[in-house]
Amino acid sequence: MGSSSPSHPETLSWIGDLTGHVQMVEQTLLPTEHVQLEVRTVPAMVDAIRRLAVRGAPAIGVAAGYGVVLGAAAAAREGSNVREAASAAIEALWVSRPTAVNLFWALDRMRGILAATENLEGEALAERLLEEALAIHESDRDTCRRIGAHGAPLLEDGATVLTHCNAGALATGGMGTALAPIYTAHAQGKRVDVFADETRPLLQGARITCWELQQAGVPVTLITDGMAARVMAEGRIQAVIVGSDRITRGGDVCNKIGTFGVALAARHHGVPFHVAAPLSTVDTELLEGKDIPIEERDPDEVGHGFGRRTAPEGVRIYNPAFDVTPRDLVTSIITEVGVIERPDVAGMEQALREGGRL
Ligand code: MRU
């Protein structure tokens, strides 16, 4: 459902009516295979989120909303209790991944519908949940467009932008967050070039960012993560733009492992470090980045990536999936309500109020 831009892949969508299912790009197979995965049950959605078939904070939120509908719709068909099935789906999806706060934001919205519809049961309740999940998806599309519009003026004609991980269309329900200003500037006729960090260990930069930028006709150069400081020292980079999985109310930014190092290198070289994210990525309960739960993933992702052992058997491996960039390294946070320069509590709270989140 919904419109797909000719140049951006549709990351996921709800197909059909209440008897329908979710269709999503199977992102683990990119870039060599571009196949669609059909997700029809709550456990299948939990699995898709956990193994990164769908990934990127906003897309995880959209997927979670649809996941709740899958549980509710199945109960409606079977004549069992839809409210209980939806609550059980929320619980199951809640523990699928720990860091991207958009997951919990979306599930809280679905829970809000349950709380506000005590008079609805059965199919009518499931229909109302589907409506909400579609609204979450639609608002993400619009949010991405707004982030693109607010961020594009930060890029001059001829600028080269470095990005880390994938915060493009495939990480959202729309055109992306970090890549949105790039797509928008490109559409406005500006010449924008991109350097993409490959993003160890799962190579979202190489596999996904390079793939979707190529599809959109935006020039991109792939580098390994360790080359980012070097290309900045060579004067090739005019701005860094990354996405985020969770931003605190104080402005600290959690994103894919390696982002903090990119921010340090950017500060050293006087390159602006921008973060592009929807306000649904802000954890209004947390002030300090140190309190953000960081997902630790399977050591095999580091020592046995993509089907081949790359480290000796038995070596100790540590695999945190995210890190936190302190707010003093952040030049600006580009949101759907505007650009928060030099983020601090006051700037964050003003944006949150404008976006109706406070
Ligand atoms: O582990 P992933 O692939 O879900 O990590 C994704 C990122 O770190 C993105 O940069 C972040 O979610 C922002 S997506 C718009």
Side-chain angles (χ1 to χ4, degrees):
M1 250 185 208
S3 65
S4 100
S5 147
S7 54
H8 303 300
E10 185 83 74
T11 305
L12 75 171
S13 43
W14 182 268
I15 305 293
D17 56 14
L18 198 56
T19 62
H21 63 276
V22 178
Q23 178 175 293
M24 60 172 69
V25 176
E26 170 52 89
Q27 296 194 37
T28 62
L29 300 178
L30 287 172
T32 48
E33 290 174 61
H34 181 199
V35 300
Q36 300 290 333
L37 174 72
E38 286 185 5
V39 180
R40 295 178 181 274
T41 65
V42 177
M45 184 59 90
V46 171
D47 182 59
I49 294 173
R50 206 165 263 159
R51 64 182 183 77
L52 314 195
V54 61
R55 31 70 48 207
I60 293 171
V62 174
Y66 287 144
V68 175
V69 180
L70 289 171
R77 277 196 302 279
E78 291 156 9
S80 51
N81 189 311
V82 169
R83 190 169 292 279
E84 279 173 20
S87 298
I90 289 171
E91 263 180 58
L93 289 154
W94 196 270
V95 293
S96 55
R97 286 190 81 188
T99 301
V101 81
N102 310 59
L103 171 73
F104 311 109
W105 170 85
L107 290 174
D108 275 339
R109 264 183 70 160
M110 300 304 279
R111 192 178 272 155
I113 298 302
L114 293 179
T117 54
E118 275 170 17
N119 53 337
L120 287 184
E121 281 305 335
E123 202 173 297
L125 177 56
E127 287 283 6
R128 179 65 193 88
L129 291 167
L130 174 58
E131 207 177 283
E132 188 67 7
L134 290 167
I136 289 173
H137 194 168
E138 189 49 44
S139 80
D140 192 50
R141 268 192 204 100
D142 183 54
T143 293
C144 291
R145 275 193 295 269
R146 287 171 194 271
I147 289 173
H150 289 300
L154 299 172
L155 302 178
E156 303 212 332
D157 184 35
T160 298
V161 180
L162 184 136
T163 192
H164 189 78
C165 195
N166 173 262
L170 281 158
T172 67
M175 71 193 292
T177 57
L179 297 193
I182 295 169
Y183 287 134
T184 305
H186 180 78
Q188 290 167 348
K190 287 186 191 167
R191 288 163 303 138
V192 188
D193 215 314
V194 178
F195 270 66
D197 283 353
E198 69 174 353
T199 316
R200 284 277 291 152
L202 294 179
L203 307 186
Q204 288 94 330
R207 295 188 303 105
I208 305 175
T209 297
C210 290
W211 184 80
E212 70 162 86
L213 286 171
Q214 267 191 344
Q215 300 284 311
V218 177
V220 57
T221 303
L222 172 65
I223 55 172
T224 68
D225 300 352
M227 296 172 190
R230 174 67 200 163
V231 297
M232 288 184 208
E234 288 172 352
R236 292 174 189 262
I237 306 299
Q238 281 68 56
V240 173
I241 312 184
V242 297
S244 175
D245 292 86
R246 197 184 292 220
I247 300 173
T248 67
R249 195 162 165 158
D252 295 337
V253 173
C254 177
N255 192 45
K256 179 54 58 190
I257 193 76
T259 302
F260 180 25
V262 172
L264 286 166
R267 171 57 54 91
H268 181 81
H269 293 101
V271 173
F273 179 87
H274 304 291
V275 176
L279 292 174
S280 56
T281 298
V282 180
D283 186 338
T284 53
E285 309 283 306
L286 289 188
L287 261 184
E288 304 285 340
K290 66 175 174 43
D291 296 325
I292 296 174
I294 302 291
E295 178 180 18
E296 246 192 85
R297 293 186 62 89
D298 188 342
D300 268 356
E301 289 179 353
V302 175
H304 196 276
F306 303 100
R308 181 185 180 278
R309 179 148 286 288
T310 53
E313 203 74 64
V315 72
R316 268 203 313 266
I317 289 172
Y318 177 47
N319 185 20
F322 300 96
D323 62 24
V324 177
T325 299
R327 68 171 190 234
D328 6 322
L329 294 178
V330 178
T331 308
S332 77
I333 300 179
I334 307 160
T335 74
E336 66 270 37
V337 297
V339 177
I340 309 166
E341 282 171 25
R342 300 272 164 217
D344 58 9
V345 180
M348 293 297 301
E349 289 187 346
Q350 191 188 325
L352 288 165
R353 271 192 296 275
E354 277 174 42
R357 287 221 52 213
L358 271 192

